[in-house]
Amino acid sequence: MTYQDLVDECQREGIGTLFWGLLIEVAGRVARPYPPDVYNDGQPWSEEAIRDLALDVALQRLLDEHQLEFVLAKATDKDSLSRLLAFQVRRVLSHRRSKTVIDRLVSRVRELVSGPEYELIEVGSDSFISLPDGGREPGELSEVEIRRGSRLIDSIPRLTSHPSAERESKVYTGSTLSELVHVLVTAFDGILIRDLRRILEITLTAWLPTILRDYEEDHVDASTPDFELQRSEMRRMVSAFAADLDSSYRIVLIGKAHGVSDGDLALRLGRSRPWLADRKREVLDMVERRIVSQLPPDLHSEATLRLIDELEELESPDD
């Protein structure tokens, strides 16, 4: 099978037999060093698991996000095509890891609320947590309440995450997770587990200030051909994201990167602190979804710094 055979097949069929075989080969090579407990629901990297991963890459990245055209346009031979596909595989694996963090927390919450301190009411496939002396009728929280819940738990201490670890960080200790659940159950007079999950997802995307502080200690310059391909794509993503971002979001990100308080930023923008807090969470969520979750951990810090540089350039007055 030559590189030209692959190109010809893609032009005729999209993802055909030859391309699919190469994708499975690359997925297996990339995935096997990744701990299956974190990246494959605890199941070993069997041939079936590798095929499932390759299928996720094909559907989520190459087709749904139109990365097949990008890969074919950038590749110059079979080796460079394999490296570009490896980048797509790592993106899917990175997204699996980010979901695992929340899944583990929700599992711990379920164990925590099974004791006598809480009452658990089954609501379809979900569960409603309340205090033993009763609560409101089970029901979903509004979007405003979800954001309020995230603000309520934002100050609860979190453990440092280490992306290279064999297992995910617990994120919260046992005592702080107990505090978190009690705060939310009390504040809303009961809460569905799926709403608690949404609150955690919002809260745990606020990665920007921490990753900036830790950059000098954690940054490693890995200048391999594969890494440089990933870095090139990271730069493209960051530039496109910065250019599309509304000016108020740019100012919020720049300010938080430099440690400006919410109150001072709100004053600068002529808005209230609650408005500013909502915009901060929205833009951090956008950065997480459109940049961080798409990159391997080794590029998170560099992407953050590059984003701030580009935002500052866009926001600086013309000479």
Side-chain angles (χ1 to χ4, degrees):
M1 174 181 62
T2 67
Y3 172 66
Q4 192 58 49
D5 292 334
L6 286 162
V7 172
D8 292 342
E9 180 189 67
C10 286
Q11 290 174 345
R12 292 191 311 268
E13 308 174 29
I15 298 178
T17 304
L18 297 178
F19 191 95
W20 175 243
L22 178 63
L23 180 55
I24 290 176
E25 176 189 324
V26 171
R29 185 174 69 248
V30 171
R32 287 191 177 94
Y34 283 70
D37 188 51
V38 175
Y39 294 95
N40 196 43
D41 295 328
Q43 300 302 310
W45 287 117
S46 63
E47 291 185 6
E48 182 181 0
I50 295 299
R51 284 197 298 271
D52 287 343
L53 174 61
L55 184 61
D56 285 346
V57 174
L59 295 177
Q60 297 172 19
R61 299 290 308 151
L62 300 180
L63 298 179
D64 287 355
E65 299 187 26
H66 309 291
Q67 289 298 301
L68 180 59
E69 294 90 339
F70 168 78
V71 165
L72 293 174
K74 288 288 186 181
T76 56
D77 54 27
K78 188 177 175 181
D79 285 344
S80 62
L81 178 59
S82 295
R83 289 195 295 270
L84 286 160
L85 290 177
F87 182 30
Q88 303 301 330
V89 173
R90 290 190 184 95
R91 284 187 171 185
V92 171
L93 288 168
S94 178
H95 184 61
R96 285 185 176 188
R97 177 184 175 109
S98 66
K99 290 193 296 184
T100 301
V101 174
I102 305 298
D103 291 341
R104 289 182 182 279
L105 281 172
V106 171
S107 295
R108 291 175 62 201
V109 168
R110 287 186 180 276
E111 293 178 8
L112 190 153
V113 300
S114 63
E117 297 87 354
Y118 295 98
E119 181 178 347
L120 208 59
I121 302 172
E122 299 303 317
V123 183
S125 60
D126 202 355
S127 301
F128 185 79
I129 311 167
S130 64
L131 296 174
D133 55 357
R136 63 184 174 90
E137 286 295 311
E140 293 185 354
L141 298 179
S142 68
E143 290 298 322
V144 171
E145 289 172 320
I146 292 290
R147 292 196 294 273
R148 177 182 163 227
S150 182
R151 290 194 294 270
L152 287 171
I153 67 170
D154 193 47
S155 61
I156 294 176
R158 296 192 288 271
L159 299 172
T160 302
S161 177
H162 299 285
S164 61
E166 288 291 307
R167 295 178 61 88
E168 284 289 351
S169 166
K170 290 174 64 177
V171 185
Y172 296 101
T173 65
S175 60
T176 54
L177 187 61
S178 296
E179 178 188 354
L180 181 152
V181 172
H182 183 76
V183 165
L184 293 177
V185 171
T186 303
F188 298 111
D189 201 18
I191 188 170
L192 287 167
I193 285 183
R194 67 170 169 265
D195 283 338
L196 190 146
R197 172 189 283 272
R198 291 172 65 203
I199 289 170
L200 287 170
E201 287 171 347
I202 292 173
T203 305
L204 298 181
T205 57
W207 55 274
L208 183 65
T210 300
I211 208 167
L212 280 169
R213 286 196 297 270
D214 294 343
Y215 176 77
E216 293 298 332
E217 178 181 346
D218 296 339
H219 176 63
V220 177
D221 188 12
S223 55
T224 64
D226 186 28
F227 192 80
E228 289 306 320
L229 283 170
Q230 298 175 45
R231 178 175 279 154
S232 175
E233 172 64 0
M234 175 272 290
R235 291 168 178 163
R236 183 197 66 77
M237 283 195 303
V238 167
S239 294
F241 179 83
D244 289 346
L245 204 59
D246 182 80
S247 180
S248 61
Y249 284 134
R250 293 176 186 168
I251 292 170
V252 169
L253 278 179
I254 293 168
K256 298 315 295 182
H258 292 291
V260 180
S261 70
D262 284 5
D264 287 345
L265 279 174
L267 186 62
R268 184 180 306 176
L269 290 166
R271 298 282 190 166
S272 67
R273 288 189 65 177
W275 181 93
L276 191 284
D278 285 344
R279 300 296 81 74
K280 179 179 69 173
R281 295 186 186 282
E282 289 169 0
V283 73
L284 288 173
D285 181 57
M286 285 189 282
V287 174
E288 168 68 22
R289 286 185 288 105
R290 292 180 54 183
I291 297 179
V292 174
S293 67
Q294 307 298 318
L295 295 171
D298 287 347
L299 279 172
H300 288 181
S301 298
E302 185 176 339
T304 304
L305 294 178
R306 186 176 184 86
L307 175 61
I308 297 304
D309 287 344
E310 295 210 14
L311 292 175
E312 288 179 334
E313 184 174 344
L314 288 167
E315 285 299 306
S316 63
D318 296 332
D319 293 332

